[in-house]
Amino acid sequence: QGGGSAVIDMENMDDTSGSSFEDMGEMHQRMKEEEEEEEGEAGAAEEEDGEFLGMKGLRGQLGRQVADQMWQVGKRQASRAFSLYANIDILRPYFDVEPVQVRARLLESMIPVKMINFPQKIAGELYGPLMLVFTLVAILLHGMKTSDTIIREGTLMGTAIGTCFGYWLGVSSFIYFLAYLCNAQITMVQMLSLLGYGLFGHCITLFVTYNIHFHSLFYIFWLGVGGLSTLRMVAVLVSRTVGHTQRLILCGTLAALHMLFLLYLHFAYHKVVEGILDTLEGPNMPPFQRVARDIPVVSNAVLNTTAKAIALTL
Amino acid sequence: FAGLADVSISEDIPVEGEITVPVGSHSPDEDFSTLDEPVRDTIMRDLKAVGKKFVHVMYPKKSSALLRDWDLWGPLVLCVSLALMLQGGSADSKDDGGPQFAEVFVIIWFGAVVITLNSKLLGGTISFFQSLCVLGYCVMPLTVAMLVCRLVLLAGSGTVSFIIRLIVVIAMFAWSTLASTAFLADSQPPNRKALVVYPIFLFYFVISWMILTFTPQ
């Protein structure tokens, strides 16, 4: 084989650059060009001699060698890129849990810690939070179906997945950014894990209140169950932050977002008591259908109906 | 080499053997039949393999045949037929609230991919496509449930039909989950089976829910 020269140009081996395999590509390209020059010269010299021996044979061999070299380089680059970016083993440590541990963490997520002067340990695990987000998606679908929610642009499934994943990833990133500003000791995976387990309270609340339609029951669950899981997250964050202002900013934001999300999930995708829309839409709209997008109008109407329902039951 | 100098072959020993080149008679009729047969054989072989896997799903025993020669024809056929049957079940014709074809398709394949990734991350020994194959084939009981639901809905849509549909869907959902668990849970370390079974449960639950809440226009 006309093997390429193994000259490694050191000034281009810049390991600090992010795209080192592009540098390798340049290097290989240069190697190939040198080789082609060499082979071109050798080929030219031989061609004059081998005119009678078949120039096409030589050129064919040259072509084959060049193509082979290119294939080798391409394959090496592709396999390097693949092993670097498509390696799911990066995530493997975060899924290394036992069912007992998952159950214990689920129960712990509802119990606020008392000791806030000592940084609390957060398990950086992603299996539990991921499963909780998917469970929330399933519960949300159930709620949307029973309330005959009509989504005008988009699909039921897309909305549910987008809402839940968007909340989990988006609010985690936002709180992580705030934690960075407020000098809190928490990593991104820990934040994802903390918020994910905090969704356990949401799952329980929504599962119960999508099936039993009492607004007073929902408010009790909202304050009780939602409040407990929020308190737990807040306590863990407080234990990891120094300074009163920082603690206030961080925990206030998290508490507000978490509680408001539960409120939003309940009122946006929930079957409303019959007769509510008579006051809004008039007699044309059938009573059990409503559009999920008109949030402020609906929440006003829902508050009115809550008052009516409570007045009726009393 | 001195002893070999006087080796000679006597001329009355005949050299025996056969040199024949098989020449097939190339008549046009025979060309068509030789062209037809292999294709049909190939298709029948593939169909038989798919059919055998369906039988394995119907009676889920712990066999490795489903895993060994995986193929994705069965899951594709099941997914397409389920999505076609689930299409267009909406309450209002103007704003489509029911699942569309693309939605069901994406849910099934995306869900199967997520479950496979999850079982691989938990330390499973099964390969990506084997897992997809098993999950896809185990959608079959739910497709049967969808068929039954559509037939029941043709008869009427009252409380009785809802109860029948509920029972059928629950039974098929349990069957799907058990069938896929029988194949997939073996590839996990023994104390983590529950961690793998739960996403499968959720996946088939979502599909069952879409089937149960399907109301034709």
Side-chain angles (χ1 to χ4, degrees):
Chain A
Q1 221 179 1
S5 54
V7 172
I8 301 178
D9 198 340
M10 286 309 286
E11 66 184 352
N12 257 15
M13 286 292 277
D14 187 5
D15 278 342
T16 58
S17 74
S19 54
S20 57
F21 59 84
E22 283 161 11
D23 290 343
M24 295 296 281
E26 270 182 45
M27 187 186 83
H28 282 294
Q29 184 70 21
R30 225 175 314 115
M31 265 170 57
K32 207 169 16 90
E33 282 166 18
E34 288 176 19
E35 192 185 280
E36 276 179 72
E37 281 176 28
E38 287 175 13
E39 285 175 358
E41 290 171 5
E46 285 181 32
E47 262 179 47
E48 292 164 25
D49 291 341
E51 234 174 323
F52 298 104
L53 296 174
M55 277 175 358
K56 287 209 178 114
L58 272 165
R59 261 200 233 124
Q61 203 182 23
L62 263 172
R64 247 179 286 126
Q65 279 184 10
V66 167
D68 189 36
Q69 188 76 12
M70 280 178 60
W71 168 250
Q72 294 286 340
V73 169
K75 203 165 79 157
R76 245 176 288 146
Q77 278 186 18
S79 65
R80 204 175 294 138
F82 182 75
S83 62
L84 198 63
Y85 292 119
N87 199 4
I88 63 166
D89 282 334
I90 304 174
L91 291 175
R92 206 179 277 270
Y94 304 125
F95 280 77
D96 190 14
V97 286
E98 308 287 321
V100 214
Q101 283 178 318
V102 175
R103 196 176 51 219
R105 283 173 196 162
L106 281 177
L107 292 173
E108 260 175 23
S109 74
M110 303 297 293
I111 305 173
V113 286
K114 293 246 171 42
M115 194 166 50
I116 57 173
N117 297 317
F118 187 72
Q120 294 296 316
K121 188 177 178 318
I122 309 175
E125 169 225 334
L126 288 181
Y127 172 82
L130 201 65
M131 288 306 128
L132 277 170
V133 173
F134 279 123
T135 311
L136 193 62
V137 168
I139 296 178
L140 214 60
L141 268 181
H142 165 50
M144 287 201 279
K145 276 289 185 182
T146 52
S147 70
D148 290 328
T149 301
I150 297 172
I151 307 284
R152 284 189 200 274
E153 298 123 22
T155 61
L156 245 64
M157 193 70 197
T159 312
I161 290 185
T163 310
C164 297
F165 268 97
Y167 175 75
W168 184 46
L169 296 170
V171 171
S172 287
S173 317
F174 180 61
I175 300 289
Y176 176 67
F177 168 66
L178 276 186
Y180 172 73
L181 289 180
C182 299
N183 258 337
Q185 302 289 321
I186 195 166
T187 67
M188 185 66 192
V189 174
Q190 285 175 331
M191 191 60 226
L192 281 171
S193 182
L194 192 65
L195 194 65
Y197 275 113
L199 287 175
F200 182 54
H202 284 25
C203 285
I204 296 179
T205 310
L206 291 173
F207 182 65
V208 170
T209 56
Y210 277 163
N211 293 315
I212 308 173
H213 307 290
F214 277 126
H215 282 293
S216 43
L217 184 69
F218 168 69
Y219 285 122
I220 294 173
F221 264 85
W222 179 59
L223 283 175
V225 176
L228 270 180
S229 72
T230 311
L231 268 177
R232 151 121 189 134
M233 290 199 299
V234 158
V236 169
L237 274 181
V238 158
S239 76
R240 286 171 165 251
T241 318
V242 180
H244 283 298
T245 321
Q246 287 94 325
R247 282 177 171 180
L248 198 62
I249 296 175
L250 200 56
C251 302
T253 320
L254 181 61
L257 285 172
H258 203 65
M259 301 294 274
L260 286 177
F261 184 58
L262 186 53
L263 217 58
Y264 168 73
L265 283 182
H266 179 82
F267 287 121
Y269 304 111
H270 171 62
K271 177 176 184 167
V272 283
V273 185
E274 59 181 291
I276 176 180
L277 284 172
D278 289 342
T279 61
L280 291 174
E281 313 282 348
N284 295 332
M285 196 95 155
F288 284 101
Q289 278 181 353
R290 61 178 194 79
V291 176
R293 297 296 178 198
D294 307 332
I295 307 287
V297 185
V298 167
S299 41
N300 276 338
V302 162
L303 283 172
N304 288 338
T305 314
T306 315
K308 272 190 228 159
I310 296 178
L312 279 172
T313 54
L314 286 177
Chain B
F1 289 167
L4 289 175
D6 49 356
V7 169
S8 61
I9 300 170
S10 68
E11 290 185 1
D12 50 355
I13 299 178
V15 175
E16 291 190 337
E18 261 188 39
I19 307 173
T20 51
V21 176
V23 175
S25 53
H26 292 288
S27 63
D29 298 341
E30 284 197 20
D31 261 352
F32 279 120
S33 61
T34 51
L35 273 176
D36 265 347
E37 275 300 330
V39 175
R40 188 154 43 112
D41 278 347
T42 312
I43 293 180
M44 286 312 292
R45 193 174 52 228
D46 276 346
L47 279 179
K48 274 198 209 117
V50 170
K52 207 163 25 151
K53 293 204 186 69
F54 277 133
V55 169
H56 273 292
V57 172
M58 297 295 288
Y59 302 106
K61 300 187 291 282
K62 284 191 204 323
S63 80
S64 59
L66 201 69
L67 293 181
R68 235 191 353 247
D69 334 300
W70 59 266
D71 74 86
L72 292 177
W73 283 113
L76 182 69
V77 164
L78 286 171
C79 182
V80 167
S81 54
L82 190 62
L84 279 176
M85 286 194 280
L86 269 175
Q87 191 183 10
S90 61
D92 193 19
S93 60
K94 256 189 305 177
D95 314 302
D96 246 345
Q100 300 301 308
F101 180 90
E103 196 180 356
V104 178
F105 210 81
V106 163
I107 288 172
I108 292 183
W109 289 104
F110 178 68
V113 165
V114 165
I115 294 176
T116 308
L117 282 179
N118 176 57
S119 75
K120 280 188 84 69
L121 282 170
L122 285 172
T125 56
I126 202 172
S127 96
F128 185 72
F129 284 109
Q130 280 173 342
S131 173
L132 277 187
C133 166
V134 169
L135 286 168
Y137 272 104
C138 291
V139 170
M140 192 188 72
L142 288 170
T143 312
V144 168
M146 183 71 216
L147 210 61
V148 170
C149 282
R150 277 215 97 136
L151 291 174
V152 168
L153 278 170
L154 279 178
S157 55
T159 318
V160 177
S161 92
F162 178 72
I163 292 180
I164 297 176
R165 280 186 291 138
L166 184 70
I167 295 176
V168 167
V169 168
I170 289 181
M172 292 301 165
F173 160 65
W175 195 344
S176 281
T177 312
L178 285 173
S180 57
T181 310
F183 291 115
L184 284 182
D186 275 344
S187 62
Q188 290 293 324
N191 52 342
R192 293 200 184 172
K193 288 208 206 304
L195 296 182
V196 178
V197 170
Y198 180 68
I200 300 178
F201 169 86
L202 262 186
F203 175 59
Y204 288 128
F205 178 79
V206 168
I207 299 180
S208 316
W209 190 248
M210 284 198 297
I211 293 174
L212 191 59
T213 58
F214 171 77
T215 48
Q217 270 177 320

